[in-house]
Amino acid sequence: MTDQTAGQDMIAADGMPLKKSLAKSLQREKMRALMLIAPLLIFVLITFIFPIGSMLFRSVENSIVQDTLPKTVVALQDWDELSGELPDEAVFTAFVEDFIIAVENKEHTRIGSRLNYEVSGMSSLFRKSARKVKKWDPVQDAPFRDKLIDVDKDWGDPATWSIIKTHSVKYTNGYFLNAIDMQRTAEGAQAQPEDKQILIKLFIRTVKMSLIITGMCILLGYPVAWILANLPNRSANMLMILVLLPFWTSLLVRTSAWKVMLQNQGVINDTLVWLGLVSNDARLEIINNQFGTITAMTHILLPFMILPMYSVMQTIPPSYLRAAKSLGATNWTAFWRVYFPQSIPGIGAGSILVFILAIGYYITPEIVGGTDGVFISNRIAYHISSSLNWGLAAALGAILLAVVLVLYWAYDKIVGIDNVKLG
Amino acid sequence: MALDNSRDAFVQFNRVQKSYDGETLVVKDLNLDIPKGEFLTMLGPSGSGKTTCLMMLAGFETATHGDIMLDGVSINNIPPHKRGIGMVFQNYALFPHMTIAENLSFPLEVRKMGKSEREEKVKRALDMVEMGAFGGRRPAQLSGGQQQRVALARALVFEPELVLMDEPLGALDKQLREKMQFEITDLAHRLGITVVYVTHDQTEALTMSDRVAVFNDGRIQQIAPPDALYEEPENSFVAQFIGENNTLEGVVKEISNGRALVQLDSGDLIDCKPINVSEPGQRTRVSIRPERVEFHKDRLSPDAHLLKATVKEFIYMGDIFRTRLSVAGNDDFIIKSRNAPDQVRLQPGQEIEIGWLADDCRALDA
Ligand SMILES: Nc1ncnc2c1ncn2[C@@H]1O[C@H](COP(=O)(O)OP(=O)(O)OP(=O)(O)O)[C@@H](O)[C@H]1O
Ligand SMILES: [Mg+2]
């Protein structure tokens, strides 16, 4: 049978080659599936993929210098910033020409604050110079070199020009370097001065505290999941409601409740003072620090640990424990050698879930974290809404996203995320 | 009397009761003595309390009342892992994260046995069930029958004197089940272990066991060797449950010389052996095996009472003929006759007379 058909293609009932007709029928199925998910696809595209894409783009995009000072950028190309000498008159002329236009278009403040991210003082330099330069005429008032240095002696410092040149590229790694406490300089990537190195520390703290929170969730969640999985159905349902209860309460409310609990005049301190365990003038500092963040976030993320653990534990039949005991294992050995290894996928799933959630958490650290209990995401928020350094915020966000994606990949390896199949 | 029994009984259930919910008794007054080396099967319909008894013996359930003794010692307060009882579970319960060899080595490890001794015992146990080549595999990589053997080897590797098996062959197909039935009994007898085996497959119970305890409704209905159970059921439940059986209902007319005359509800009179009836006037359910019913008059004693029957259906089954009759208002009366050259093949609609030896017809409880 196979011998006969090996040479030629199989023909379907309508005379078309079988393969083609199969592909056609599958095609239709795929189209139908695609139509069903189209609303979601479009929604995700608009609300998720585009913003993330534009954010990623913003972390390297740097056309402002080129756009605002085009002639200067060209003129600066011939200047060797490592020579220690000032650029020649052509550069100054080009700059003044560019700058007059920029001031007319009111763009000088923007480029000022852009360069101010790199070196403070740039913003005021640009604003101060603008007031003088806008009265000049690019043809009659030349040469500009000494005039400009008269306006502000910083123009006579090669470093100022070096900054403009270094950050004149259209796509920069400068934000990413900043995000890891380095900077883009004429000599290449270099470490930031000691006192400005805070972001790596913040990253490390974020990871460390997320790990502690994950660990706490494992310790507190495992017994609960175990009880849930082993209780008779009715009581298990009751307990499940208690576990899920936090989900039905606003995150803000829960976090604020922790504020009530933990603050200096809060429930816990009051109780301890009332019991005489702590004297009134030595109330415990358990909020606005790392302890506060860890406590509140452990509580908030606990269900995300319990649920995957529970679903894994539910699939472990009680007969394994019984078998182990009948083979002579004590309760502890039976648990440790037989039950625990089988529950590890649940711990893994829960841990990765909690860790990923924790590492990007914002609200809770913001409310109960004080200064030393905040996360990298709070810094991102600061750069987005206060310092307006969106490029740096985007770079920090991109690094965070990369960390999470790596974790997601690990999650897939360990637990396996069901593939979404199109048709 | 109880003392005498306990001396040679290896396992003893003494007035054991069990309730899960405090309202109903799942096991009601269980008394059972199992001598050393016996292969005892607990047989019964679903929910009759077999697993519960096994779990109480293994220590995973506590008896609500009564004593369970092992080798003359009450084990009520001994935790499962100290009882030293091997157990084979219905789903095998092989640890999925360990290899076969690790599974077998587990009971030896928890007994703090040295590595070389462990390896040797594991190898011997695996060879015993012809699974020597599979030590490095995981349970998921074995077929059902192979997993079964490994489970058996694991329950035996630490050399327990008592092994419990709860429907260990339930998940296997018929052929494999028959093969394993033979292997398990063979192994049990070779090793001289005591086995308590649970099944609800009566063929399995009859072919494997030294004695069978028939459970129903939380009680042992009868405990006897397979042949006695089949031929001399002590009550109508056992008669119905074991093998094929015909029942007719009626009232005892008279009892004399170990014979009971029973008047059926249809008015006909038949001869029976009184088992659960003692005096005239009692209602009874008489039980007769299909292969003991005779319709050749010359093979019956001349004074035997005969019953009129109408042939409803004739089924040719190869080695036997199975004929369905309508007898005394019962349309499901079955007779079986051997397929021999001179055997008569009855035709549907045919009117015949049937009878039996009084000893084969047992007057049981109503
Ligand atoms: N853990 C339990 N809690 C409450 N009731 C139970 C429990 N286990 C068993 N029962 C009840 O006890 C009765 C006997 O159960 P058991 O498992 O001993 O039956 P079984 O004879 O093994 O039946 P099967 O042949 O179906 O395995 C059943 O009515 C069952 O519903
Ligand atoms: Mg059972």
Side-chain angles (χ1 to χ4, degrees), chain B residues 74-360:
Chain B
S74 166
I75 54 171
N76 284 16
N77 294 319
I78 299 180
H81 67 271
K82 293 207 179 124
R83 295 193 182 188
I85 299 176
M87 184 141 189
V88 181
F89 292 81
Q90 176 162 16
N91 59 1
Y92 316 135
L94 296 175
F95 307 138
H97 59 293
M98 299 185 191
T99 64
I100 301 307
E102 284 165 352
N103 260 284
L104 262 74
S105 164
F106 182 83
L108 307 177
E109 267 169 57
V110 300
R111 286 178 170 73
K112 310 257 184 313
M113 199 174 275
K115 191 162 189 277
S116 55
E117 195 182 354
R118 243 163 37 206
E119 278 169 5
E120 192 200 309
K121 288 204 173 190
V122 167
K123 188 177 172 317
R124 199 151 14 105
L126 279 180
D127 286 342
M128 181 175 72
V129 293
E130 294 163 23
M131 290 292 293
F134 296 87
R137 293 219 198 159
R138 303 241 164 196
Q141 296 167 321
L142 299 184
S143 74
Q146 289 168 335
Q147 290 184 26
Q148 219 302 305
R149 283 160 201 256
V150 173
L152 191 61
R154 190 180 66 175
L156 295 174
V157 69
F158 60 99
E159 292 164 14
E161 289 184 273
L162 174 62
V163 177
L164 314 181
M165 306 190 191
D166 191 358
E167 303 190 34
L169 306 180
L172 305 183
D173 65 57
K174 190 162 176 293
Q175 257 181 348
L176 197 57
R177 206 156 61 209
E178 279 164 10
K179 185 163 169 325
M180 289 304 300
Q181 283 169 8
F182 171 75
E183 284 182 22
I184 289 175
T185 35
D186 182 54
L187 210 56
H189 286 138
R190 237 174 341 131
L191 300 175
I193 50 175
T194 311
V195 178
V196 180
Y197 190 97
V198 165
T199 181
H200 52 225
D201 177 340
Q202 48 157 307
T203 327
E204 198 166 292
L206 294 181
T207 52
M208 294 177 81
S209 330
D210 296 325
R211 278 196 305 163
V212 179
V214 180
F215 274 66
N216 188 37
D217 195 23
R219 283 181 207 279
I220 294 185
Q221 302 291 330
Q222 184 174 359
I223 175 160
D227 53 348
L229 206 60
Y230 184 80
E231 283 164 34
E232 293 154 20
E234 279 170 7
N235 57 40
S236 50
F237 174 80
V238 177
Q240 284 291 347
F241 193 70
I242 307 284
E244 206 166 7
N245 182 61
N246 294 309
T247 42
L248 296 169
E249 293 188 29
V251 180
V252 179
K253 288 295 273 187
E254 70 179 71
I255 298 184
S256 57
N257 304 334
R259 285 283 171 276
L261 187 66
V262 173
Q263 179 163 39
L264 298 180
D265 295 345
S266 60
D268 301 293
L269 290 171
I270 54 170
D271 300 311
C272 305
K273 181 174 181 174
I275 304 292
N276 296 5
V277 291
S278 50
E279 56 200 49
Q282 276 182 313
R283 270 201 78 76
T284 180
R285 197 177 284 192
V286 303
S287 143
I288 170 111
R289 298 283 177 202
E291 67 275 14
R292 298 290 167 93
V293 180
E294 194 52 79
F295 57 92
H296 296 285
K297 257 188 244 164
D298 47 325
R299 292 189 203 158
L300 290 165
S301 66
D303 60 341
H305 286 97
L306 297 180
L307 284 177
K308 286 200 168 40
T310 313
V311 178
K312 288 281 179 194
E313 196 177 6
F314 174 85
I315 301 168
Y316 177 85
M317 295 183 73
D319 53 347
I320 57 161
F321 301 149
R322 192 164 184 275
T323 315
R324 189 162 65 83
L325 307 175
S326 170
V327 177
N330 178 355
D331 274 348
D332 275 318
F333 198 97
I334 305 294
I335 62 174
K336 288 180 185 165
S337 43
R338 210 160 49 84
N339 182 358
D342 58 342
Q343 187 61 274
V344 178
R345 300 190 185 193
L346 297 167
Q347 299 300 319
Q350 201 175 335
E351 303 274 342
I352 55 170
E353 281 189 315
I354 58 170
W356 45 75
L357 299 178
D359 275 348
D360 287 335

Side-chain angles (χ1 to χ4, degrees), chain A residues 50 66 69 90 141 262 324 340 349:
Chain A
F50 286 155
Q66 248 180 41
L69 307 170
D141 291 331
L262 298 176
F340 182 74

Side-chain angles (χ1 to χ4, degrees), chain B residues 37-48:
Chain B
E38 184 173 64
F39 196 116
L40 180 108
T41 299
M42 295 179 173
L43 174 68
S46 195
S48 55

Side-chain angles (χ1 to χ4, degrees), chain B residues 20 26 45-52 61 167 200:
Chain B
Y20 283 107
V26 168
S46 195
S48 55
K50 309 178 296 285
T51 300
T52 306
E61 295 290 352
E167 303 190 34
H200 52 225

